[in-house]
Each structure stands twice: as C-alpha cells, then as structure tokens.
Amino acid sequence: MTDLAAWHRLAGTAALPHGDGAVLLDGFHALKHALRFSAEVPLAVAVDRAAALALADDLAPDVREPLAALLREVTPEAYRALVPRPHPTGVAALAVRPPRAANLEALAALPRTAPVVVLDNPRNLGNAGAVIRLAAGFGVTGVVTTGTLDPWHPTVVRGGAGLHFATAVEHLEAVELPPGPVFAFDAEGDDIRGVKLPDDAVLAFGSERSGLSDALRARTDHLLSLPMRPQVSSYNLATSVAMTLYHWSAG
C-alpha cells in the first residue's frame, strides 16, 4: 500500500526541530481534536474504518466528513508496525507540526486575553500532556516548556489528546519567556486567593522534582502559592495548573 510508504517517509521527519516535522496523532480523540483545530493531516489509518466512523457519528459528528475522506483501513499487523503503542481505538494519523515562527508570534503578541503557562524543566511526559489539554480547555494563549523535555514528544501529544493544535506549544529558554508579568508558584509565595491574575500573566510552574529553577526565579515578578493542607507535600503538576487557571477564569 503506497500510503504506508508515505507514512514511513513522513514519520521519519518527526525528530526534526522547530516545527519542521510530522506529529503522531495516537488514537481517535487526538485525530478528532487535531481536525477540529485545523491541523493539516495528510495521512490517517484505522484497523476498522467503519467502527472509527461510527465513533465519529456518536462523539464528533462535526469531523465525520473530513475523517471519512482521510481514513484508510489497514490490517492490525500493519497498524502495529506504524505506532509504538497501539491505541484501543485502533486509529492513528500523522499531522504537520505548526510552524515555530507562528507559535512564537502568538506567544509574543500583546495585548493578550489569556495567560501563557510555563512548565519550568518538567520531567514527566504525561503531566506535560495533561497540562496542554487543560490549557486548551481554558483557552490560554499557549504552553511553554523550559529544560530538556520536548513538548511535542509523541507521549506528550498522546497525553494532550491532540490539543496541541488548539494553543501555541513551544520550548523556550527562561530568558526567552513571552512578555507579561511572571507569576511563579512556590510554597513560600503569597496565597493565590488574595491575588487577581491579569490576562497577560505568564504563569510558571516548577519541576515536579526540584521546583523552580534559578533562571526562572530571576524572571519572576510575583511568587505565589496554592492553598494546601499542612503535611501534604505537593500537588500533581496538572492539578496545580488546573487550580490556577480556574482562579484566573473566575477572577
């Protein structure tokens, strides 16, 4: 099947830096969200095409038509050869990663109507994906990571359910953060409940292991903390981001 040769050729570009490569969409829901947010999807496959389209009829009728035009049925063996970890829906696709320049422009644009979330040297790929999914749900301007984690890693995209295409997702150094007042979170900071977060805020969350880096602290304008019962050491990263974005949205 010529489509499989094209798949392997495109998949080989996934490691290219700065938005030049392909993105693996792992499962029906990742493909659904990518289509909803205008991703360019050159290839999509399913082990059971009829079942995937029935899922679209039930859960996402808005993308049923483009999905029907895209999906090609492949054997279970061929599908397993295309993805590192088969998804229960038996669906996979390759999308074109948004240009880095366009994401950087969106992150830098002022005035903003929603914050930027910064994950400072995150370690857990699944946590990063969950944060991107949250950010898309709240309509934030974008999600930035510092450190070594690639925010477009396939595991992060899987954790984000394809919602990378709903917001600007990029890797930057701490000195390159988007404009706006930086509110960083630390146990020693002021209680967030006494602070109104502006729409142009840059909301920074430290590593799950070591907290905020020195470079990020040097950029911080306001140090905040989340309410927490004594003797509880920390919240999950995605939980912290969810609490903060809810506080911003309710303000």
Side-chain angles (χ1 to χ4, degrees):
M1 179 180 174
T2 57
D3 277 356
L4 297 188
W7 179 289
H8 289 297
R9 185 176 67 254
L10 283 170
T13 71
L16 295 175
H18 304 325
D20 296 321
V23 177
L24 174 63
L25 301 173
D26 202 359
F28 172 83
H29 298 290
L31 176 55
K32 169 193 73 179
H33 284 135
L35 291 174
R36 280 181 175 166
F37 291 97
S38 303
E40 181 184 347
V41 182
L43 290 172
V45 299
V47 172
D48 187 333
R49 184 176 183 276
L53 293 177
L55 200 57
D57 288 333
D58 289 341
L59 302 178
D62 56 308
V63 301
R64 207 276 186 191
E65 185 175 344
L67 196 61
L70 274 172
L71 274 181
R72 299 293 300 270
E73 188 162 288
V74 296
T75 65
E77 294 75 20
Y79 169 73
R80 287 194 293 270
L82 298 179
V83 296
R85 185 168 49 141
H87 193 274
T89 59
V91 173
L94 290 176
V96 176
R97 180 169 166 174
R100 178 174 170 84
N103 277 344
L104 294 179
E105 182 179 357
L107 290 166
L110 291 174
R112 282 200 298 269
T113 58
V116 171
V117 171
V118 176
L119 304 182
D120 184 29
N121 198 22
R123 300 295 186 177
N124 186 286
L125 296 166
N127 276 347
V131 168
I132 291 166
R133 189 171 185 174
L134 273 168
F138 277 97
V140 307
T141 296
V143 177
V144 169
T145 64
T146 71
T148 59
L149 184 144
D150 175 10
W152 285 87
H153 186 283
T155 302
V156 182
V157 177
R158 182 172 179 144
L163 283 162
H164 284 60
F165 295 92
T167 188
V169 178
E170 284 298 334
H171 176 275
L172 295 172
E173 300 299 326
V175 296
E176 301 172 318
L177 294 185
V182 177
F183 293 81
F185 287 80
D186 182 87
E188 301 304 316
D190 297 327
D191 192 317
I192 191 176
R193 289 172 291 186
V195 177
K196 178 177 173 59
L197 296 173
D199 292 343
D200 64 349
V202 177
L203 306 173
F205 301 84
S207 164
E208 299 95 333
R209 294 180 184 176
S210 55
L212 296 167
S213 66
D214 291 340
L216 199 292
R217 283 183 183 274
R219 292 294 313 279
T220 297
D221 298 298
H222 308 278
L223 204 60
L224 299 180
S225 64
L226 293 167
M228 187 182 303
R229 180 181 178 182
Q231 298 183 316
V232 175
S233 58
S234 65
Y235 293 120
N236 173 273
L237 177 60
T239 300
S240 298
V241 175
M243 294 170 69
T244 303
L245 291 179
Y246 181 80
H247 177 79
W248 161 73
S249 69

